[in-house]
Amino acid sequence: MNIQFDHQGAKPPLTIRLCGPRGFCAGVDRAIQIVVLALKAYGAPVYVRHEIVHNRYVVEGLEAKGAVFVEELDEIPPEHRNQPVVFSAHGVPKSVPADAQARNLFYLDATCPLVSKVHKQAMRHQRLGRHVILIGHAGHPEVIGTMGQLPEGTVSLVETVEDAEVYVPADPDNLGFVTQTTLSVDDTAGVIAKLQERFPNLQAPAADSICYATTNRQEAVKEAAPGCDLFIVVGAPNSSNSKRLVEVALRAGARRSLLVQRAAELDWEEIGEVSTLGISAGASAPEVIVDEIIEAFRGRYDATVELAITAEETENFLVNRELRGVPLTREDMAFVNG
C-alpha cells in the first residue's frame, strides 16, 4: 500500500477504537496458569491433551517452557506416566478421565468452570428425564466434551435455525436445551426462539449457558464497530468466540472485519487506507499480540487510541488444589501478558 504522506512526511491520522473487555477471559487465564504452575511444580515434560486454548502463540509459548501437546493419551510414553497431563479449557468427554485412570496417569483438569456448569446443566436435564438439545458447532472440542457427558442417544446437536425447524424429537414434551459457551448471543437467540416456538414445553438451563466473557466481548465490539473502516479481531481461525466477534463487528456497522493471528499477517495492500480502526481480541488471544498489532499500525499512521469499554471483568477462577501452593509470578506469564 502506498500511504500518502504530506510534504512534511507526516503519517496519515488514524483513530484506533480499542475494545474492553478483550482477550483472555478468566477460564483461559486459569488454563494457561495450570500448565505453567504444573511445569514449576513437577518439571518438564507436562503433557497437554489437545490445544490448551485455541491460540498457536500460546501453545508455542508453553512448548518453549516444556509442555508437550498430544492428541490422545496413548501418545504419553510409559516412562512419563507420573508426569501430569492437563485437559484443555474446552472440556473433555467423561471417557477421557476414565481412560487416564485406567492408564494410571496423573491428570489435571483445566476445563473452564463455565463449561463445567454447562456439563452439569445437561446432566441435570437428562437426570430429570429430558432429551438434551445442545446448540453448538459440530466438531468443536467443547461440543464433543459436552455431548460426551451424556449416554449415547440422549443428546442431539442443533446448529442453526434451519436445523431447529426440521428437528424431530422422540418426545416433544420432554426436552431441555443447553448451549456452547462461545456462541453469538444474537444467533443463539434465534435458534432458541425457533425451538421454543415448536416445542412449548422446552426447558431452559437453570442459568444462561453463554459465558459472561463471550457476551462482554460482543457488547464491546457492538459499541466500537459502527463507522469503522476496518475492524480487526485478534484470534485463531479455530477459535469459535473470535470468529463470532468478526461477524458481530460486521453486523454492528464495520465496513470490513478481519480475523488476524499476528501482526506479520497484516496485508497492507488489502487493508488500504483507513481512518478509523476497531480492535478486539478473542478470549484465547494474548495481550502481547494486541500490542504488536497496534505498534504495526503506529509504524504507518499517526495513531490515537480511544478505549471502548463496556464492562469491567473481575472474575478469577482458582487453579487446581494441587497447584495452589505454587507461586505464580508476573515473569511466569510475561510470554502472554507482556
Side-chain angles (χ1 to χ4, degrees):
M1 177 182 73
N2 294 319
I3 292 177
Q4 299 299 310
F5 292 88
D6 66 24
H7 64 280
Q8 295 176 314
K11 298 172 186 173
L14 175 68
T15 299
I16 298 176
R17 294 179 187 164
L18 183 60
C19 288
R22 65 181 176 277
F24 284 176
C25 61
V28 164
D29 208 28
R30 172 182 179 268
I32 296 167
Q33 287 178 22
I34 288 170
V35 180
V36 170
L37 290 171
L39 284 162
K40 289 184 81 169
Y42 303 104
V46 165
Y47 289 88
V48 184
R49 183 185 177 276
H50 292 175
E51 289 187 338
I52 186 71
V53 296
H54 281 156
N55 190 275
R56 194 68 227 156
Y57 180 93
V58 172
V59 168
E60 289 172 359
L62 291 170
E63 284 175 334
K65 290 177 175 287
V68 177
F69 288 81
V70 296
E71 285 303 303
E72 298 301 340
L73 299 181
D74 61 9
E75 296 173 48
I76 299 172
E79 63 269 24
H80 289 158
R81 198 177 64 196
N82 294 325
Q83 288 298 106
V85 56
V86 180
F87 301 151
S88 85
H90 306 106
V92 294
K94 280 184 175 177
S95 58
V96 174
D99 185 25
Q101 287 172 340
R103 296 174 186 274
N104 289 319
L105 296 173
F106 167 40
Y107 68 86
L108 296 165
D109 191 351
T111 300
C112 171
L114 298 177
V115 174
S116 296
K117 184 177 82 171
V118 173
H119 291 177
K120 290 180 181 130
Q121 291 168 345
M123 289 188 285
R124 180 176 182 273
H125 280 318
Q126 196 255 330
R127 194 169 61 248
L128 292 172
R130 301 167 190 154
H131 183 84
V132 179
I133 297 172
L134 171 59
I135 301 167
H137 293 305
H140 189 280
E142 185 187 323
V143 166
I144 293 167
T146 301
M147 294 184 82
Q149 305 304 307
L150 302 169
E152 190 82 28
T154 63
V155 57
S156 300
L157 181 66
V158 170
E159 296 192 71
T160 63
V161 172
E162 290 72 27
D163 289 346
E165 285 174 340
V166 298
Y167 172 63
V168 181
D171 183 355
D173 289 326
N174 271 310
L175 298 171
F177 77 87
V178 294
T179 72
Q180 182 181 330
T181 62
T182 53
L183 298 180
S184 158
V185 180
D186 298 336
D187 287 348
T188 309
V191 178
I192 293 169
K194 176 54 68 176
L195 288 169
Q196 288 172 330
E197 174 192 315
R198 295 191 59 217
F199 311 113
N201 292 331
L202 177 69
Q203 298 297 308
D208 190 10
S209 299
I210 293 176
C211 85
Y212 76 90
T214 299
T215 302
N216 287 350
R217 277 149 193 71
Q218 291 177 15
E219 289 302 315
V221 168
K222 287 178 187 176
E223 178 85 12
C228 283
D229 302 307
L230 175 66
F231 202 102
I232 287 177
V233 175
V234 182
N238 61 339
S239 166
S240 173
N241 78 87
S242 300
K243 290 195 289 188
R244 300 294 81 74
L245 291 178
V246 173
E247 297 163 1
V248 169
L250 288 171
R251 279 205 296 260
R255 281 177 49 212
R256 289 181 297 149
S257 187
L258 297 174
L259 185 65
V260 176
Q261 295 192 82
R262 299 294 302 273
E265 284 181 17
L266 293 169
D267 182 336
W268 299 103
E269 290 289 337
E270 180 190 1
I271 287 169
E273 292 185 22
V274 295
S275 59
T276 305
L277 170 71
I279 298 180
S280 186
S284 48
E287 187 65 9
V288 291
I289 301 181
V290 175
D291 295 340
E292 175 185 284
I293 286 171
I294 291 173
E295 287 310 305
F297 276 92
R298 284 193 192 280
R300 292 164 171 79
Y301 292 89
D302 178 14
T304 304
V305 177
E306 297 178 352
L307 296 179
I309 298 174
T310 53
E312 295 286 345
E313 291 179 349
T314 57
E315 287 78 5
N316 179 45
F317 297 144
L318 289 174
V319 298
N320 310 66
R321 196 175 302 279
E322 298 94 328
L323 301 173
R324 289 179 196 168
V326 185
L328 184 74
T329 67
R330 184 186 175 92
E331 289 70 32
D332 291 331
M333 298 292 285
F335 75 106
V336 285
N337 293 337

